[in-house]
Amino acid sequence: NGSTAINHITGGVTVTTGYASAVLESVSGDVTITNSYASTTLRTIGGKVTANNKYGHVDVQDVKGDASIENRYSAVNAERIGGNLKIDGRNNSVDIDQVNGSLEVETSYKTLSVRNAKGTMTLSNRHGDVDIELDEQPKNDITVNAQYSDVTIEMPGNATFQFDGRTRYGNV
């Protein structure tokens, strides 16, 4: 079990590894990484990110383009994404802060937490809570599909919006 560290790269990077933590920082182009049984950390990426991981934490910060993350059985953290963000998770918590584009997340069995997403949000979680916190009034649609989950949405007190809520076996 080792580690992979890649820093200060002009252009794009593709990495395939397993059983070794991977840290990629200050890459000016696109990053594609496949990893398993270890953590993946991506910071300050000038292009888009495609990350496929399982059994290891994924931490993605400061991406100028879009980001697509697939992870199983361990947490996902995404912060300061300049474009769209798509996360496909299973049995993992998801923590998101500051997405400028659209946001699409599917996960299960742990909490899905979103702060300060600007675009359209489509969030799905089964057997885990969904928490949304917005510093500004939403300008786009927020769609939440939660099964066996609590949903909390916090926004400024002066926010105006329309709400359409439906439940089976629960209360709105």
Side-chain angles (χ1 to χ4, degrees):
N1 296 349
S3 65
T4 301
I6 299 174
N7 299 300
H8 306 290
I9 300 295
T10 300
V13 175
T14 299
V15 175
T16 301
T17 187
Y19 298 95
S21 63
V23 178
L24 285 76
E25 294 184 282
S26 299
V27 177
S28 69
D30 297 346
V31 170
T32 301
I33 184 164
T34 302
N35 195 5
S36 57
Y37 298 97
S39 64
T40 298
T41 302
L42 308 174
R43 291 190 190 111
T44 315
I45 309 300
K48 68 179 180 178
V49 164
T50 304
N52 294 304
N53 201 53
K54 57 185 172 184
Y55 300 105
H57 181 88
V58 175
D59 186 21
V60 178
Q61 298 176 13
D62 300 307
V63 176
K64 285 192 178 176
D66 295 342
S68 176
I69 302 167
E70 184 176 335
N71 196 27
R72 305 287 187 261
Y73 307 109
S74 198
V76 173
N77 178 58
E79 298 179 29
R80 297 176 300 280
I81 308 300
N84 301 322
L85 174 60
K86 180 177 182 180
I87 297 175
D88 182 8
R90 298 286 181 274
N91 299 1
N92 58 339
S93 64
V94 175
D95 190 24
I96 299 164
D97 192 5
Q98 297 181 6
V99 177
N100 289 332
S102 66
L103 174 61
E104 182 180 340
V105 180
E106 183 173 343
T107 192
S108 58
Y109 293 99
K110 302 279 183 165
T111 299
L112 165 55
S113 217
V114 177
R115 286 175 308 286
N116 300 317
K118 306 279 188 219
T120 300
M121 287 185 255
T122 304
L123 310 174
S124 298
N125 197 1
R126 290 176 315 283
H127 302 280
D129 294 341
V130 177
D131 298 324
I132 302 169
E133 183 180 328
L134 304 173
D135 286 345
E136 299 175 2
Q137 176 173 320
K139 295 180 177 87
N140 297 288
D141 290 343
I142 300 171
T143 302
V144 178
N145 180 0
Q147 299 174 13
Y148 306 102
S149 309
D150 289 335
V151 176
T152 304
I153 301 174
E154 293 182 33
M155 59 184 74
N158 62 351
T160 58
F161 55 91
Q162 289 185 331
F163 178 80
D164 179 10
R166 294 172 220 156
T167 184
R168 285 176 133 181
Y169 313 111
N171 298 313
V172 176

